[in-house]
Amino acid sequence: MVCAASLSAATKPGVRRPAFSEKLFRQTVREGEPVLFTCKVVGTPEPTAKWYKDGQELFSSDAIDIKYSNGTATLAIADTLAEDDGEYTCKAVSSEGFDSTSARLIIKA
């Protein structure tokens, strides 16, 4: 008797698609104040994290500091401007799938 089985990604031992254990939340700050978005993601293999504002991918720069370490993704803006107002999304991606979390940043004049 021959027995054969195949495992899908959902049933492979030690494999888990990305999922946010701590999601983003809406923040309101005055123009010129700092803001920090933080979220936590789990998954195996460890996912990568990318940040977006209003659908456009963001990268670290003089104005924005993006970090990802040990499942914690952060986006920091030290000196917010009116044009920073918008919808921010963190997307976690691995070979097993993806997940995302979004929140609104409101800048008050």
Side-chain angles (χ1 to χ4, degrees):
M1 175 184 228
V2 174
C3 183
S6 70
L7 297 173
S8 70
T11 59
K12 287 181 190 174
V15 173
R16 182 174 178 193
R17 76 178 204 83
F20 283 93
S21 60
E22 186 177 305
K23 297 189 176 208
L24 299 175
F25 59 90
R26 185 179 79 180
Q27 297 191 53
T28 302
V29 298
R30 292 193 183 280
E31 188 172 358
E33 290 181 341
V35 68
L36 176 66
F37 282 109
T38 301
C39 53
K40 293 187 179 184
V41 64
V42 294
T44 305
E46 184 172 358
T48 58
K50 293 186 177 186
W51 285 91
Y52 301 84
K53 178 189 175 263
D54 298 329
Q56 297 289 339
E57 188 171 356
L58 298 172
F59 301 93
S60 281
S61 67
D62 291 339
I64 297 172
D65 185 30
I66 293 173
K67 293 182 180 167
Y68 180 71
S69 179
N70 297 319
T72 300
T74 60
L75 182 149
I77 304 172
D79 187 14
T80 54
L81 303 171
E83 56 262 25
D84 292 324
D85 190 286
E87 184 83 3
Y88 288 79
T89 300
C90 183
K91 184 176 182 180
V93 180
S94 79
S95 58
E96 301 305 315
F98 70 92
D99 194 13
S100 65
T101 178
S102 298
R104 172 94 179 167
L105 174 61
I106 300 167
I107 305 295
K108 288 187 168 185

